[in-house]
């Protein structure tokens, strides 16, 4: 059974870069046809998909965040990472990594990390 675990430094200061790592066990991030995604949920709000890195290594980002988003991977460690730059306080959220697959044009996420709280605050 695939498991995902988010990790990172915790609090991020406004205007800095938010960096998180997702460590995957029980499955390879290069396995066809999975899409390794970052998703966030601000307090009291709904889930927002940030982007993914596909099993091929190709990335795709939410249009609203793509200018600030970079997702990469380290296949030797079976990890993928999120870098979200120039963060405002509104980026405060629980950040999740998740494994998704396409159902038609929509991604469905069947495996999730537990999430990590990332305050963006001075």
């Amino acid at each position: 059974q695939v498991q995902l675990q988010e990790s990172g430094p915790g609090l991020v200061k406004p205007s800095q870069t938010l960096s998180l790592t997702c460590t995957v066990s029980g499955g390879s991030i290069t396995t066809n046809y999975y899409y390794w995604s970052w998703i966030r949920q601000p307090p009291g709000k709904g889930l927002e998909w940030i982007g993914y890195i596909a099993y091929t290594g190709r990335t795709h980002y939410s249009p609203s965040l793509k200018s600030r988003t970079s997702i990469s991977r380290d296949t030797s460690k079976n990890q993928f990472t999120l870098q979200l730059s120039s963060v405002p306080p509104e980026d405060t959220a629980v950040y999740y990594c998740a494994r998704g697959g396409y159902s038609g044009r929509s991604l469905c996420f069947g495996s999730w990390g537990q999430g990590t709280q990332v305050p963006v605050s001075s």
Side-chain angles (χ1 to χ4, degrees):
Q1 186 177 43
V2 66
Q3 293 184 324
L4 298 86
Q5 179 67 59
E6 305 89 350
S7 62
L11 183 144
V12 181
K13 295 180 179 180
S15 81
Q16 299 297 302
T17 296
L18 183 159
S19 297
L20 295 171
T21 297
C22 184
T23 300
V24 178
S25 61
S28 173
I29 60 174
T30 64
T31 296
N32 302 351
Y33 298 94
Y34 289 117
Y35 298 78
W36 304 90
S37 293
W38 289 100
I39 299 158
R40 68 181 183 180
Q41 186 171 37
K45 298 182 179 180
L47 296 165
E48 179 184 22
W49 178 74
I50 299 167
Y52 68 61
I53 186 161
Y55 59 99
T56 60
R58 183 72 65 90
T59 56
H60 187 56
Y61 308 121
S62 171
S64 64
L65 295 169
K66 63 182 179 181
S67 67
R68 299 194 289 125
T69 306
S70 180
I71 298 173
S72 58
R73 68 181 184 176
D74 185 337
T75 58
S76 69
K77 297 180 180 179
N78 214 36
Q79 294 177 331
F80 63 103
T81 62
L82 170 69
Q83 292 197 121
L84 185 65
S85 66
S86 302
V87 295
E90 300 85 74
D91 281 346
T92 296
V94 177
Y95 284 76
Y96 299 92
C97 55
R99 185 182 73 177
Y102 272 104
S103 297
R105 296 176 62 193
S106 299
L107 281 168
C108 296
F109 301 99
S111 298
W112 295 65
Q114 291 186 330
T116 185
Q117 297 266 7
V118 183
V120 179
S121 175
S122 300

